[in-house]
Amino acid sequence: MDKTLHIVGGGMAGSEAAWQAANMGVDVVIHEMRPKVGTFAHQTGNLAEMVCSNSFRSDDDEQNAVGLLHWEMRAANGLIMGAADRHRLPAGGALAVDRDPFSEHVTEVLRAHPRIRVEEGEVSALPDDGHWIFATGPLTSTALGQAIQAETGAERLAFFDAIAPIVYAESIDMDVVWAQSRYDKGETEAEQKAYLNCPMTKDQYEAFIDALLAAEKTEFHEGETAGYFDGCLPIEVMAERGRETLRHGPMKPVGLTNAHKPEEKPYAVVQLRRDNALGTLFNIVGFQTKMKYGAQTEVFRMIPGLENASFARLGGIHRNTFLNSPTLLDDRMRLRSRPHVRFAGQVTGVEGYVESAAMGLVAGRFAAAEILGQPLAPVPQDTAMGALIHHITGGAEAKTFQPMNVNFGLFRPLEDVRGGRRGRKDRYKGYTDRAKEAWQGWLAGQETAALA
Ligand SMILES: Cc1cc2nc3c(=O)[nH]c(=O)nc-3n(C[C@H](O)[C@H](O)[C@H](O)COP(=O)(O)OP(=O)(O)OC[C@H]3O[C@@H](n4cnc5c(N)ncnc54)[C@H](O)[C@@H]3O)c2cc1C
């Protein structure tokens, strides 16, 4: 079989995957459709173009999960992080990037690499053989999207995300909230208590609706047609349709009894559902929204029990092509039905420049190791990379799967560390120390395999 690695899409993930694989000694072809075929968001023909903000977010590798991901990518000689560091702009604790020199640098380095060739043009089918990584991003071309759907089933490739906010379990006030599924449905106790319920009085509900209606909203980008469909309307749009709509929809109070105050019938109830197998994250059911982030935090903290909520991610609705990875990909990012095809980047259901580049880094290494016949262990779950891969390929609920940023809620809890807000600093340091050691171990194992 031809030992060339073909990478479709030269964005954040595809560029990083190409760099990693080529440096391991594999010949790479990057197939990039721009500038021949454009998207509504990209402006240039450069590789690794930043389509919107110029921020790589926090660079704190001791107290922040995305900062830890930066650290892991730097330790692995990541091209995207190297280019970001080189074209860094002053931005306090964040890593802001001078976008044009950044993507020009990535383009030049990849085009100059002796093992990398860039071919312009759209790829519109899944290949029958060879070694492939598809890193075509949130704006995967229509023809390729259709080909992927033909392989996976239409319901397993989404074209819009509909993200409800996700709350850290430890920040929910369990003196107010109680665990119960509607009508106690379910065979086991775990199922009968699968939801956390936040009760509202009439006054609280009315104030909440007022706040929703008044909150600042984000607009869809030009060219990004609104994909509302009735099962998935933003909550503020539901509230605009009538003040009672939410009380008859996601906030209906029926089939629930407040365990703390059984005699009081709530006027409305907000439900939270477990979002990961670890039980560290809960999403607010049916609360997808286009409210601005600042407004979301204020409005959602009006919900009884969530006054001190910390959010692992806030809600949103965007044009975003992504796979139902928990059912489709294995822990080495291979498509289960065609293992010679890998996916990487935002199309796997991670979100953000950094997370996408990170998934490119591991997909590139996995693909190259396979081509070279070098054994490569799965990425340790205790690293930021591993926590993300574990989440998208198995830890997340497949039925409600939505794109995810890296955050500490994806990490296995530490033993012997204090919970709650007070223990947060030590806990985060514990996560990042544990991750760094595990990541260095994984990289060293790979170097040993290469020398053998
Ligand atoms: C409007 C918009 C705004 C965003 N804003 C932000 C933001 O502010 N911050 C942030 O962190 N993230 C943002 N994102 C998400 C961002 O796009 C990703 O985080 C990141 O770019 C994903 O990297 P990627 O490599 O997976 O995809 P991309 O960087 O999009 O790269 C995919 C590449 O594949 C190419 N391609 C697609 N289909 C084909 C095909 N069939 N054949 C060949 N090539 C193909 C595309 O031209 C593109 O170059 C935004 C996304 C959108 C759509």
Side-chain angles (χ1 to χ4, degrees):
M1 197 197 269
D2 181 10
K3 293 198 166 192
T4 305
L5 175 61
H6 295 268
I7 297 178
V8 185
M12 294 291 162
S15 298
E16 187 65 55
W19 171 251
Q20 295 290 333
N23 287 346
M24 284 170 67
V26 167
D27 290 329
V28 175
V29 179
I30 300 175
H31 303 261
E32 169 53 57
M33 69 179 185
R34 290 178 295 114
K36 282 190 176 161
V37 180
T39 77
F40 76 82
H42 292 89
Q43 308 286 326
T44 72
N46 288 338
L47 303 175
E49 180 180 329
M50 302 176 89
V51 289
C52 191
S53 100
N54 69 334
S55 174
F56 273 29
R57 312 187 336 258
S58 170
D59 201 28
D60 179 348
D61 61 59
E62 294 195 344
Q63 292 291 312
N64 188 288
V66 81
L68 174 63
L69 208 46
H70 293 174
W71 188 96
E72 291 179 7
M73 291 167 79
R74 287 183 181 118
N77 183 29
L79 172 65
I80 295 295
M81 285 312 301
D85 286 336
R86 197 183 170 110
H87 296 289
R88 184 178 194 133
L89 297 171
L95 175 51
V97 174
D98 195 355
R99 68 177 72 234
D100 287 337
F102 162 82
S103 60
E104 281 156 15
H105 175 77
V106 172
T107 308
E108 278 163 24
V109 168
L110 292 178
R111 284 190 180 272
H113 198 295
R115 289 199 179 274
I116 298 175
R117 189 158 55 83
V118 180
E119 256 183 36
E120 284 172 7
E122 178 184 0
V123 173
S124 53
L126 290 180
D128 291 327
D129 50 31
H131 301 278
W132 292 79
I133 296 177
F134 281 77
T136 46
L139 306 177
T140 294
S141 70
T142 308
L144 181 62
Q146 284 165 353
I148 297 172
Q149 279 192 323
E151 174 74 17
T152 61
E155 70 293 348
R156 295 204 184 155
L157 183 76
F159 294 107
F160 275 86
D161 57 33
I163 298 168
I166 296 179
V167 179
Y168 287 109
E170 59 176 23
S171 69
I172 301 169
D173 185 351
M174 293 307 292
D175 292 336
V176 175
V177 166
W178 76 98
Q180 184 189 11
S181 298
R182 221 179 276 286
Y183 300 111
D184 302 307
K185 272 192 188 154
E187 301 279 301
T188 61
E189 194 185 345
E191 283 171 2
Q192 289 159 5
K193 296 199 165 170
Y195 290 79
L196 298 182
N197 300 283
C198 309
M200 275 191 187
T201 62
K202 185 168 192 306
D203 286 350
Q204 286 168 331
Y205 178 78
E206 295 297 343
F208 183 71
I209 299 294
D210 287 340
L212 272 183
L213 294 174
E216 256 195 289
K217 323 286 181 330
T218 51
E219 299 297 325
F220 278 99
H221 288 257
E222 203 180 325
E224 184 185 30
T225 44
Y228 294 163
F229 39 100
D230 265 357
C232 184
L233 285 176
I235 43 164
E236 62 276 9
V237 175
M238 283 191 251
E240 278 162 16
R241 290 186 172 185
R243 295 186 70 86
E244 288 292 290
T245 309
L246 281 170
R247 230 168 64 79
H248 295 285
M251 293 175 73
K252 60 178 178 275
V254 301
L256 297 166
T257 304
N258 186 340
H260 304 295
K261 296 178 182 168
E263 68 294 347
E264 262 182 39
K265 181 90 193 125
Y267 187 74
V269 173
V270 174
Q271 288 202 299
L272 293 100
R273 183 172 47 216
R274 207 177 157 120
D275 202 71
N276 63 345
L278 294 172
T280 49
L281 300 173
F282 280 77
N283 66 65
I284 313 185
V285 180
F287 269 36
Q288 55 277 353
T289 177
K290 288 287 281 181
M291 278 189 287
K292 289 201 167 163
Y293 282 174
Q296 287 190 42
T297 317
E298 269 178 40
V299 173
F300 295 140
R301 287 195 182 136
M302 292 172 74
I303 298 170
L306 301 189
E307 292 87 347
N308 295 311
S310 294
F311 294 91
R313 70 159 309 158
L314 288 161
I317 299 176
H318 317 93
R319 173 78 176 80
N320 194 357
T321 311
F322 66 99
L323 297 168
N324 188 276
S325 294
T327 56
L328 295 172
L329 301 185
D330 70 12
D331 64 357
R332 291 164 195 222
M333 333 268 301
R334 288 177 294 214
L335 189 61
R336 290 176 199 276
S337 61
R338 291 191 191 216
H340 65 285
V341 169
R342 283 186 160 77
F343 281 86
Q346 187 140 328
V347 74
T348 63
V350 297
E351 184 154 336
Y353 302 136
V354 181
E355 287 86 340
S356 298
M359 294 301 96
L361 188 152
V362 280
R365 286 191 173 224
F366 276 133
E370 201 170 274
I371 291 169
L372 297 168
Q374 293 166 1
L376 184 53
V379 183
Q381 198 184 332
D382 289 336
T383 61
M385 297 270 185
L388 263 179
I389 295 175
H390 180 77
H391 181 77
I392 61 173
T393 63
E397 280 292 335
K399 269 195 209 150
T400 54
F401 183 63
Q402 288 290 325
M404 185 56 108
N405 288 133
V406 71
N407 65 77
F408 287 128
L410 304 179
F411 287 58
R412 286 189 312 134
L414 286 159
E415 281 166 24
D416 304 328
V417 179
R418 197 154 54 145
R421 274 169 190 269
R422 294 221 176 115
R424 195 154 65 187
K425 210 168 169 206
D426 291 343
R427 207 162 55 249
Y428 288 178
K429 179 77 167 54
Y431 286 141
T432 53
D433 284 348
R434 184 177 68 176
K436 288 173 185 174
E437 198 181 327
W439 181 244
Q440 274 166 330
W442 187 75
L443 292 176
Q446 201 179 348
E447 275 163 28
T448 312
L451 293 174

